[in-house]
Amino acid sequence: DGGITQSPKYLFRKEGQNVTLSCEQNLNHDAMYWYRQDPGQGLRLIYYSQIVNDFQKGDIAEGYSVSREKKESFPLTVTSAQKNPTAFYLCASRIGGAGGEQYFGPGTRLTVT
Amino acid sequence: QQQVKQSPQSLIVQKGGIPIINCAYENTAFDYFPWYQQFPGKGPALLIAIRPDVSEKKEGRFTISFNKSAKQFSLHIMDSQPGDSATYFCAARSSNTGKLIFGQGTTLQVKP
């Protein structure tokens, strides 16, 4: 069964704790993305990676970190520096090059109290 | 900053109606315009997409109309069904970076 998996679906953390969200794809896609979704604000890009061992900041990278050690995996860490971390987090991937559609995973809803 | 503006924010139609969702962009360096459909608690799913050299694209009940000179594009849903009730996002892909810029989303409700 191919696709993008994100785990867990729901995640709860106390304020001040770092938390890592998992994203795995078996589509052999080169590029991977992390978005944050808040009500009424659409999808905002946090980080993206075009190839292994390389990644770039998106529009709202502050308080987040990523790694891309394997082509299949692009974990996102929400650090304690993120001021408003409660949100729905979406991972996406796309085959490399000029073309290719972007496909999304099922998302992880993070609640920090 | 590149922007994509989407309207309306919400839309209610009767079954069989034709909801229309509009998007406008401010930058000409976009080479691809997809629409995504998202159900509550799920990730967005690619619905239909168009390139700027085409004025219209139809897939089943979904049609994109594209006006390059006006920098506007819209989604039409023919014979809408209650199962079409979802949030719809337009997007534009930067030809320079490959990143997608998303509109704010439209929540559609189709009443039986």
Side-chain angles (χ1 to χ4, degrees):
Chain A
D1 188 22
I4 304 170
T5 57
Q6 292 186 244
S7 60
K9 187 170 179 61
Y10 299 98
L11 193 52
F12 298 89
R13 281 292 183 271
K14 293 291 187 183
E15 196 173 314
Q17 294 180 332
N18 291 354
V19 59
T20 298
L21 282 60
S22 168
C23 178
E24 304 278 333
Q25 55 95 4
N26 61 3
L27 301 169
N28 200 32
H29 284 175
D30 297 300
M32 297 186 73
Y33 305 81
W34 274 106
Y35 293 89
R36 170 184 172 133
Q37 186 174 25
D38 297 283
Q41 293 198 45
L43 284 74
R44 293 183 291 170
L45 183 64
I46 304 172
Y47 266 99
Y48 65 105
S49 168
Q50 306 274 38
I51 57 172
V52 176
N53 292 323
D54 189 41
F55 49 82
Q56 288 79 39
K57 292 182 179 180
D59 300 318
I60 55 165
E62 185 175 350
Y64 299 98
S65 66
V66 294
S67 63
R68 187 83 187 278
E69 297 177 1
K70 298 186 298 182
K71 188 176 185 177
E72 305 79 23
S73 178
F74 191 40
L76 173 74
T77 297
V78 184
T79 75
S80 57
Q82 168 51 233
K83 296 177 182 177
N84 187 19
T86 294
F88 190 46
Y89 290 88
L90 289 157
C91 178
S93 71
R94 181 176 71 88
I95 198 165
E101 288 84 8
Q102 197 168 122
Y103 296 96
F104 284 86
T108 291
R109 184 165 298 281
L110 173 65
T111 302
V112 177
T113 58
Chain B
Q1 185 178 0
Q2 299 177 346
Q3 281 192 332
V4 176
K5 296 181 179 179
Q6 183 172 345
S7 62
Q9 187 173 357
S10 62
L11 190 54
I12 301 174
V13 300
Q14 293 294 133
K15 177 182 175 182
I18 305 176
I20 301 173
I21 304 171
N22 300 297
C23 285
Y25 60 97
E26 300 180 348
N27 190 301
T28 57
F30 292 133
D31 62 359
Y32 173 75
F33 300 86
W35 285 87
Y36 286 84
Q37 179 189 57
Q38 184 180 31
F39 294 104
K42 306 292 185 183
L46 181 65
L47 189 62
I48 186 173
I50 196 168
R51 299 193 185 278
D53 54 348
V54 177
S55 61
E56 184 176 281
K57 183 174 182 180
K58 183 180 293 187
E59 287 186 4
R61 295 184 294 107
F62 300 93
T63 299
I64 301 178
S65 298
F66 188 85
N67 186 331
K68 189 174 182 178
S69 61
K71 298 182 186 176
Q72 295 174 348
F73 57 110
S74 59
L75 176 70
H76 302 230
I77 305 176
M78 305 301 179
D79 187 27
S80 59
Q81 302 296 313
D84 296 329
S85 298
T87 299
Y88 293 82
F89 291 96
C90 64
R93 187 176 68 194
S94 169
S95 56
N96 298 324
T97 65
K99 293 191 295 183
L100 286 178
I101 311 298
F102 285 87
Q104 294 84 351
T106 296
T107 300
L108 171 66
Q109 182 184 356
V110 181
K111 291 190 171 182

